[in-house]
Amino acid sequence: MGADVTVLSQTSSKRADALGFGAVAHHATSDPAVFDRLARSFDLIVNTVSASLDFDAYLGLLDFGGTMVNVGAPPEPAPVTLFTLFTNQRSFAGSTIGGIAETQEMLNFCAEHGIVPEVETIRADQVNDAWERVLKSDVRYRFVIDASTLKGPSGATPA
């Protein structure tokens, strides 16, 4: 769509993946110097993380008139210092996944541009192991359960 994408991630473990997916840069936010180095660098930040973050630090990465859109849902209220928004006329917004029309538009866009998800298919009997891997952050990038391995109420595999 013409954007230069930069990935901000807590560690460098996904750097090669980010660049392979088309990002022009990757920065590990566990290094506090990253926030100083990238201050006022971005027009848009799309936050997909559902964990607590220092939102003020990320808002400081926005340039004049920049917007941070949060699509992840942290478990607790997110504190934001309003002065961070006032400086440089920044905005902080939220968005859900959208309705059927928006979802279809996104799927059409992906189909037209050959965008497919990176998934790891597992059998139903691997769910507990997959959950342990989620807790260890050892997932690239989503698990998908092979429905043919599910057992019905009688213990038989559904047809």
Side-chain angles (χ1 to χ4, degrees), residues 4-64:
D4 289 329
V5 175
T6 296
V7 172
L8 303 173
S9 186
Q10 188 174 4
T11 68
S12 296
S13 67
K14 296 179 182 176
R15 179 184 309 274
D17 289 344
L19 299 175
F21 289 142
V24 297
H26 176 285
H27 299 279
T29 58
S30 56
D31 176 4
V34 164
F35 290 93
D36 291 331
R37 201 167 51 249
L38 298 177
R40 298 182 63 185
S41 295
F42 301 107
D43 298 315
L44 174 68
I45 296 174
V46 179
N47 176 29
T48 62
V49 176
S50 292
S52 298
L53 294 175
D54 180 351
F55 288 99
D56 290 328
Y58 285 87
L59 289 166
L61 299 177
L62 294 170
D63 199 1
F64 184 86

